[in-house]
Each structure stands twice: as C-alpha cells, then as structure tokens.
Amino acid sequence: MAENDSYRRNPARDVEAFAISALRFWIGDNGSVEDTSGGHGPDFSLAYADGRRGIGEVGWHEDPTIQEMWARTFRAHHHQQIDLAVGLGQWSVQLVRGAHIGRLYTELPEFVGKLVAHGCLRLEVHQSWRSELADTARGLGIDHIDQVTRDEPSVAIFFLPGSGGAITSDSDVITDWVDSVLADPSYRDTTEKILRVQADERHVFLMSGTLTSFDVDQNLQRINTRTPSRAPAVPAGITHVWVVSRFGEPNVGLWTVGQGWSFVSLRTEQ
C-alpha cells in the first residue's frame, strides 16, 4: 500500500543507483560505468572500449523538506502504515508539507480513537476552522483523514504531498525544466563539478521529484512517444543530458550535443 516504490530506505542514493544502472544498460558491451559517488568528485565515470572517458553527475529535483519526510517514514518499521486499535477500521491520511512523521506514528492512533468517539469518520482541515479535533489534526500535519472501511486489521495509511494539474502536449516543457533546474543555484554544482574535470564526455542525469511540476513529469513519462525538439541551454562542455520521471518509467530521455533528443528504453525482452 506504499504510495511510491521508488522511495525506499535511502531515496537519494536510490536515484544515483538508478542513473548508474540506466547508463550501464545504455553503454552495454561498448564500455563500463563506475559508481564514484562516495567521494567529492563526479557521481559516475564511463570508460569506453575505444579509450574515450566520460564523467557525470546526478541531480534529483526534490523538495528537501519532503525528502526528509520520506526518510523518516522509511526509518519506521511499517512504511506509511500505522497500526490502530481493533475496531477503528482502516483510514486514509493525507499529509501537508512539513508534517512531523515521528509525532504522527506516536499520536495518530489516539487521535483516530477520538475521531471515532465523536462520530467523525471524515475530517478536512481548513485553516480558519478552529476546534479541538481540527487543531490536533493541524498539529500532526494532516490535510484530511477518512475512514475507508470498517474492516480489520485496523490501520491508517498516510500519503505525503503530491501534485496534479493540466498536461500540455508540448514536450519542450521538458527542455524548459532542464534549463530551470540547471540555472537554479541549488543545482549549480551539478554542472560545475564535472566541468572542472578533464573528460571526453560530461553527462548530467536529472530525475524529477516533488519540486517538478505535474505537467513536466507526465511528459517525462511519455517521452517515448514524443521527444522535445529544442536543445537545452547547457554550459559549454556538457555533452549529454539524461531525464527521467521519478515514477520509474522504463523510458529515459537523452539529449546529446550535435544529435539532439532521443529516448532509451530500459525494457528487456522476456
């Protein structure tokens, strides 16, 4: 019942591992990819059979606050699931950004008991609404909570903030996204680090995250049906830009200097 299997015990490390796995699939028998993310240098290096060398850096477009919420969630014994007293039923809980996950695991069972005692099986928290139940929910970082069924086992499943919205058919929103991420001071090191190192190729691998708009993420998931047409505004020396949705789609977008956009399918024939 977890919301997203891509968020495991160490989500940031998993993003790097995914990138390296995708690059190894892409390079195949033409070379090798080494994970070098443990130090202060680039996250990975490539060695081609013909002697060429490449380096690369991985960027995850993730909100640090929500990333910490996920990290705290996966330190718990049950991920996104909180046991309740028998008879309380099964509940769905939507959280707001910055919700205190530790308090939620500790205090939610008693709060759900109070909701049932008051005959309240659905609660939406509005900022202007003041009551004991609403204030408690607000303190726990709950946006809304609903009893889904009275079935056993009695548990609450909570979900971290997500996004939604309209989807455009213009796949160049992906290019716009790449431009904005690489221009963001928070991601400046993604390119600057590898530009300081001598190499034949310099790769940037970007995965979407909670800072990425719904529109961009949906277009990333469909990149095998329509690739962008416009080149990203990358610094001179960057030769490859990889883009992928955080939701584990098997298609990864690839821009190569002088060649433009394509996609790499990570599917293997069964």
Side-chain angles (χ1 to χ4, degrees), residues 194-221:
I194 57 178
L195 287 173
R196 294 192 292 264
V197 180
Q198 182 63 38
D200 297 302
E201 295 179 354
R202 296 180 182 87
H203 297 240
V204 173
F205 195 107
L206 298 178
M207 178 178 281
S208 67
T210 54
L211 288 175
T212 310
S213 72
F214 181 76
D215 185 18
V216 169
D217 197 83
Q218 290 295 307
N219 272 275
L220 285 171
Q221 293 184 46

CSV table of all heavy atoms in Angstrom, one decimal, residues 194-221:
chain,number,residue,atom,x,y,z
A,194,ILE,N,31.6,18.8,-12.8
A,194,ILE,CA,32.1,18.0,-13.9
A,194,ILE,C,32.8,18.8,-14.9
A,194,ILE,O,33.7,18.3,-15.7
A,194,ILE,CB,31.1,17.1,-14.5
A,194,ILE,CG1,29.9,17.9,-15.0
A,194,ILE,CG2,30.6,16.0,-13.5
A,194,ILE,CD1,28.8,17.0,-15.7
A,195,LEU,N,32.5,20.1,-15.0
A,195,LEU,CA,33.2,21.0,-15.9
A,195,LEU,C,34.7,21.2,-15.5
A,195,LEU,O,35.5,21.6,-16.3
A,195,LEU,CB,32.5,22.3,-16.1
A,195,LEU,CG,31.2,22.3,-16.8
A,195,LEU,CD1,30.4,23.6,-16.7
A,195,LEU,CD2,31.4,21.9,-18.3
A,196,ARG,N,35.0,21.0,-14.2
A,196,ARG,CA,36.3,21.2,-13.7
A,196,ARG,C,37.2,20.0,-14.0
A,196,ARG,O,38.4,20.0,-13.7
A,196,ARG,CB,36.3,21.5,-12.2
A,196,ARG,CG,35.7,22.8,-11.8
A,196,ARG,CD,35.9,23.1,-10.4
A,196,ARG,NE,35.3,22.2,-9.5
A,196,ARG,CZ,34.1,22.4,-8.9
A,196,ARG,NH1,33.5,23.5,-9.2
A,196,ARG,NH2,33.6,21.6,-8.0
A,197,VAL,N,36.7,18.9,-14.5
A,197,VAL,CA,37.4,17.7,-14.7
A,197,VAL,C,37.6,17.4,-16.2
A,197,VAL,O,36.6,17.5,-17.0
A,197,VAL,CB,36.7,16.5,-14.0
A,197,VAL,CG1,37.5,15.2,-14.3
A,197,VAL,CG2,36.5,16.7,-12.6
A,198,GLN,N,38.8,17.0,-16.6
A,198,GLN,CA,39.1,16.7,-18.0
A,198,GLN,C,38.4,15.4,-18.4
A,198,GLN,O,38.5,14.4,-17.7
A,198,GLN,CB,40.6,16.6,-18.2
A,198,GLN,CG,41.0,16.3,-19.7
A,198,GLN,CD,40.6,17.5,-20.6
A,198,GLN,OE1,40.7,18.6,-20.2
A,198,GLN,NE2,40.1,17.1,-21.8
A,199,ALA,N,37.6,15.4,-19.5
A,199,ALA,CA,36.9,14.2,-20.0
A,199,ALA,C,36.5,14.4,-21.4
A,199,ALA,O,36.4,15.5,-21.9
A,199,ALA,CB,35.7,13.9,-19.1
A,200,ASP,N,36.3,13.3,-22.1
A,200,ASP,CA,35.7,13.4,-23.4
A,200,ASP,C,34.2,13.7,-23.4
A,200,ASP,O,33.7,14.3,-24.4
A,200,ASP,CB,36.0,12.0,-24.2
A,200,ASP,CG,37.5,11.7,-24.3
A,200,ASP,OD1,38.2,12.6,-24.9
A,200,ASP,OD2,37.9,10.7,-23.8
A,201,GLU,N,33.5,13.2,-22.4
A,201,GLU,CA,32.1,13.4,-22.3
A,201,GLU,C,31.8,13.8,-20.9
A,201,GLU,O,32.4,13.4,-19.9
A,201,GLU,CB,31.3,12.1,-22.6
A,201,GLU,CG,31.4,11.7,-24.1
A,201,GLU,CD,30.6,10.4,-24.3
A,201,GLU,OE1,30.1,9.8,-23.3
A,201,GLU,OE2,30.5,9.9,-25.5
A,202,ARG,N,30.8,14.7,-20.8
A,202,ARG,CA,30.3,15.1,-19.5
A,202,ARG,C,28.7,14.9,-19.5
A,202,ARG,O,28.1,15.6,-20.2
A,202,ARG,CB,30.7,16.5,-19.1
A,202,ARG,CG,32.2,16.7,-19.0
A,202,ARG,CD,32.5,18.2,-18.7
A,202,ARG,NE,34.0,18.4,-18.6
A,202,ARG,CZ,34.7,18.7,-19.7
A,202,ARG,NH1,34.2,18.8,-20.9
A,202,ARG,NH2,36.0,18.8,-19.5
A,203,HIS,N,28.3,14.1,-18.6
A,203,HIS,CA,26.8,13.7,-18.5
A,203,HIS,C,26.2,14.3,-17.3
A,203,HIS,O,26.7,14.3,-16.2
A,203,HIS,CB,26.7,12.2,-18.5
A,203,HIS,CG,27.2,11.4,-19.6
A,203,HIS,ND1,26.4,10.6,-20.4
A,203,HIS,CD2,28.4,11.3,-20.2
A,203,HIS,CE1,27.1,10.1,-21.4
A,203,HIS,NE2,28.3,10.5,-21.3
A,204,VAL,N,25.0,14.8,-17.5
A,204,VAL,CA,24.1,15.2,-16.4
A,204,VAL,C,22.9,14.4,-16.4
A,204,VAL,O,22.2,14.3,-17.5
A,204,VAL,CB,23.7,16.7,-16.5
A,204,VAL,CG1,22.7,17.1,-15.4
A,204,VAL,CG2,25.0,17.6,-16.4
A,205,PHE,N,22.5,13.8,-15.3
A,205,PHE,CA,21.4,12.9,-15.2
A,205,PHE,C,20.4,13.5,-14.2
A,205,PHE,O,20.7,13.6,-13.0
A,205,PHE,CB,21.8,11.5,-14.7
A,205,PHE,CG,20.8,10.4,-15.0
A,205,PHE,CD1,21.0,9.4,-16.0
A,205,PHE,CD2,19.6,10.3,-14.2
A,205,PHE,CE1,20.0,8.4,-16.2
A,205,PHE,CE2,18.7,9.3,-14.4
A,205,PHE,CZ,18.9,8.4,-15.4
A,206,LEU,N,19.2,13.9,-14.7
A,206,LEU,CA,18.2,14.5,-13.9
A,206,LEU,C,17.0,13.7,-13.7
A,206,LEU,O,16.4,13.2,-14.7
A,206,LEU,CB,17.8,15.9,-14.5
A,206,LEU,CG,18.9,16.9,-14.7
A,206,LEU,CD1,18.3,18.2,-15.4
A,206,LEU,CD2,19.5,17.3,-13.3
A,207,MET,N,16.6,13.5,-12.5
A,207,MET,CA,15.3,12.8,-12.2
A,207,MET,C,14.3,13.8,-11.6
A,207,MET,O,14.7,14.6,-10.7
A,207,MET,CB,15.5,11.6,-11.2
A,207,MET,CG,14.2,10.9,-10.8
A,207,MET,SD,14.4,9.5,-9.7
A,207,MET,CE,15.0,8.2,-10.9
A,208,SER,N,13.1,13.7,-12.0
A,208,SER,CA,12.1,14.6,-11.4
A,208,SER,C,11.8,14.2,-10.0
A,208,SER,O,12.1,13.2,-9.5
A,208,SER,CB,10.8,14.5,-12.2
A,208,SER,OG,10.2,13.2,-12.1
A,209,GLY,N,11.2,15.2,-9.3
A,209,GLY,CA,10.9,15.0,-7.9
A,209,GLY,C,9.7,15.8,-7.5
A,209,GLY,O,9.0,16.3,-8.3
A,210,THR,N,9.5,16.1,-6.2
A,210,THR,CA,8.4,16.8,-5.7
A,210,THR,C,8.4,18.3,-6.1
A,210,THR,O,7.4,19.0,-6.0
A,210,THR,CB,8.2,16.7,-4.2
A,210,THR,OG1,9.4,17.0,-3.6
A,210,THR,CG2,7.9,15.2,-3.8
A,211,LEU,N,9.6,18.8,-6.5
A,211,LEU,CA,9.7,20.2,-7.0
A,211,LEU,C,9.3,20.3,-8.5
A,211,LEU,O,9.1,21.4,-9.0
A,211,LEU,CB,11.1,20.7,-6.8
A,211,LEU,CG,11.5,21.0,-5.4
A,211,LEU,CD1,13.0,21.4,-5.3
A,211,LEU,CD2,10.7,22.1,-4.8
A,212,THR,N,9.2,19.1,-9.1
A,212,THR,CA,8.8,19.1,-10.6
A,212,THR,C,7.3,19.2,-10.8
A,212,THR,O,6.6,18.6,-10.1
A,212,THR,CB,9.4,17.8,-11.2
A,212,THR,OG1,10.7,17.6,-10.9
A,212,THR,CG2,9.2,17.9,-12.7
A,213,SER,N,6.9,20.0,-11.7
A,213,SER,CA,5.5,20.2,-12.0
A,213,SER,C,4.9,18.9,-12.5
A,213,SER,O,5.6,18.1,-13.1
A,213,SER,CB,5.3,21.3,-13.0
A,213,SER,OG,5.6,20.9,-14.3
A,214,PHE,N,3.6,18.7,-12.3
A,214,PHE,CA,2.9,17.6,-12.8
A,214,PHE,C,3.0,17.5,-14.3
A,214,PHE,O,3.1,16.4,-14.9
A,214,PHE,CB,1.4,17.7,-12.3
A,214,PHE,CG,0.5,16.6,-12.8
A,214,PHE,CD1,0.6,15.3,-12.1
A,214,PHE,CD2,-0.4,16.7,-13.8
A,214,PHE,CE1,-0.2,14.3,-12.5
A,214,PHE,CE2,-1.2,15.7,-14.2
A,214,PHE,CZ,-1.1,14.4,-13.5
A,215,ASP,N,2.9,18.6,-15.0
A,215,ASP,CA,2.9,18.6,-16.4
A,215,ASP,C,4.3,18.1,-17.0
A,215,ASP,O,4.3,17.2,-17.9
A,215,ASP,CB,2.8,20.1,-16.9
A,215,ASP,CG,2.7,20.2,-18.4
A,215,ASP,OD1,2.4,19.2,-19.1
A,215,ASP,OD2,2.9,21.3,-18.9
A,216,VAL,N,5.4,18.5,-16.4
A,216,VAL,CA,6.7,18.0,-16.8
A,216,VAL,C,6.8,16.5,-16.5
A,216,VAL,O,7.3,15.8,-17.4
A,216,VAL,CB,7.8,18.8,-16.1
A,216,VAL,CG1,9.2,18.1,-16.3
A,216,VAL,CG2,7.8,20.3,-16.6
A,217,ASP,N,6.4,16.1,-15.3
A,217,ASP,CA,6.6,14.7,-15.0
A,217,ASP,C,5.7,13.8,-15.9
A,217,ASP,O,6.2,12.7,-16.4
A,217,ASP,CB,6.1,14.4,-13.6
A,217,ASP,CG,6.7,13.1,-13.1
A,217,ASP,OD1,7.9,13.1,-12.6
A,217,ASP,OD2,5.9,12.1,-13.1
A,218,GLN,N,4.5,14.2,-16.3
A,218,GLN,CA,3.7,13.4,-17.2
A,218,GLN,C,4.4,13.4,-18.6
A,218,GLN,O,4.3,12.3,-19.2
A,218,GLN,CB,2.3,14.0,-17.3
A,218,GLN,CG,1.5,13.9,-16.0
A,218,GLN,CD,1.2,12.4,-15.7
A,218,GLN,OE1,0.7,11.7,-16.6
A,218,GLN,NE2,1.5,12.0,-14.5
A,219,ASN,N,5.0,14.5,-19.0
A,219,ASN,CA,5.7,14.4,-20.3
A,219,ASN,C,6.9,13.6,-20.3
A,219,ASN,O,7.2,12.9,-21.3
A,219,ASN,CB,6.0,15.9,-20.8
A,219,ASN,CG,4.9,16.5,-21.5
A,219,ASN,OD1,4.8,16.3,-22.8
A,219,ASN,ND2,4.0,17.3,-20.9
A,220,LEU,N,7.6,13.5,-19.1
A,220,LEU,CA,8.7,12.6,-19.0
A,220,LEU,C,8.3,11.2,-19.1
A,220,LEU,O,9.0,10.4,-19.7
A,220,LEU,CB,9.4,12.9,-17.6
A,220,LEU,CG,10.2,14.1,-17.5
A,220,LEU,CD1,10.7,14.3,-16.1
A,220,LEU,CD2,11.5,14.1,-18.4
A,221,GLN,N,7.1,10.9,-18.6
A,221,GLN,CA,6.6,9.5,-18.6
A,221,GLN,C,6.2,9.1,-20.1
A,221,GLN,O,6.2,7.9,-20.4
A,221,GLN,CB,5.5,9.3,-17.7
A,221,GLN,CG,5.8,9.4,-16.2
A,221,GLN,CD,4.7,9.2,-15.3
A,221,GLN,OE1,3.9,8.2,-15.5
A,221,GLN,NE2,4.5,10.0,-14.3
